[in-house]
Amino acid sequence: MKARKRIENTEVLEFLKPDLLAEIKPYFGLGGFNFNQNIKDFEQNWTYSYFEKEIPNGLNFKLDENYFYLSVNTRNNEIHFDIDLFTGKLSSIICGKGYKGKLDIGVGIGSSVKEALKKDKSLGYNLDTDWIDRTPFDGLIIHVPQKLQAECWDCASRGIELPDFEIEHIELIDLDFAKKFYEGELYFE
């Protein structure tokens, strides 16, 4: 196995910079990261992170040995994404508390789910996955807090209004990944 040499001149390194104000764009990405990037785009940052305690851009890298992913997150978990080690592609990008970017409908972290459902009629609770997504599926997932999943499932199955809650996590999933792992659970165009 070839070992990577440590890059001594860190001044020439280009550190990927998270953008906590960037728009959340299904099919594309968020926070300055997108589904066109692959593991090579993170190579210098990942290598540097092994030798230094503090990486200037605040990204943390961790190998998930159970599922063979490289998990990357910002220091305060405003952004988290996974890179599949077999394909080298980003499979999902999640934003949470502290992320200020919004969807094109003006909804983001901290917004009311009722506001999101009112502004975008293609959003709805998915009984198969226990999250809110668009039909047809475009990669956007609004996570329902675990304590409300049973209540949301009950409301959706009876065709009544969902309980309101503050959006804490928005996830974008790569459509190729979604088609492979959620076939039969999501409707794609």
Side-chain angles (χ1 to χ4, degrees):
M1 187 165 136
K2 293 182 181 178
R4 288 226 172 254
K5 282 181 128 183
R6 181 175 178 195
I7 302 166
E8 293 298 330
N9 186 357
T10 57
E11 292 174 17
V12 298
L13 278 178
E14 285 188 37
F15 290 101
L16 300 170
K17 294 180 180 75
D19 180 358
L20 301 181
L21 300 173
E23 184 179 350
I24 302 168
K25 297 180 182 180
Y27 297 111
F28 184 72
L30 62 85
F33 304 104
N34 65 69
F35 295 114
N36 295 324
Q37 290 176 303
N38 64 45
I39 199 164
K40 279 196 94 33
D41 296 317
F42 300 91
E43 181 180 7
Q44 286 186 333
N45 290 237
W46 185 19
T47 303
Y48 182 84
S49 74
Y50 273 105
F51 298 104
E52 305 297 332
K53 291 183 191 254
E54 282 289 317
I55 185 166
N57 61 7
L59 291 180
N60 301 310
F61 296 83
K62 182 180 180 223
L63 277 176
D64 181 329
E65 296 170 0
N66 294 326
Y67 299 102
F68 300 105
Y69 278 89
L70 174 62
S71 291
V72 184
N73 64 287
T74 54
R75 189 172 292 116
N76 296 318
N77 281 321
E78 300 93 347
I79 303 171
H80 172 96
F81 56 91
D82 291 321
I83 302 172
D84 182 322
L85 292 176
F86 292 117
T87 65
K89 292 180 64 176
L90 276 74
S91 57
S92 74
I93 310 171
I94 302 169
C95 62
K97 187 176 181 177
Y99 192 83
K100 304 294 184 208
K102 307 244 184 250
L103 289 160
D104 60 351
I105 58 172
V107 171
I109 301 302
S111 297
S112 155
V113 80
K114 278 191 178 185
E115 178 188 353
L117 294 168
K118 187 165 55 170
K119 287 184 172 185
D120 188 339
K121 300 296 182 198
S122 67
L123 283 171
Y125 186 80
N126 187 318
L127 294 167
D128 292 324
T129 58
D130 291 323
W131 64 47
I132 294 171
D133 60 30
R134 288 181 173 145
T135 301
F137 187 70
D138 64 352
L140 172 66
I141 296 169
I142 297 174
H143 287 281
V144 174
Q146 191 166 5
K147 66 183 180 196
L148 291 175
Q149 286 180 351
E151 185 179 351
C152 286
W153 192 95
D154 184 55
C155 290
S157 66
R158 295 188 298 139
I160 61 175
E161 188 174 66
L162 297 177
D164 196 18
F165 61 87
E166 188 176 284
I167 297 170
E168 297 175 357
H169 294 99
I170 296 175
E171 181 172 6
L172 300 180
I173 294 183
D174 176 65
L175 287 182
D176 292 334
F177 174 83
K179 287 174 184 173
K180 183 177 177 181
F181 288 97
Y182 295 103
E183 183 180 3
E185 297 176 56
L186 300 172
Y187 169 72
F188 300 93
E189 268 192 321

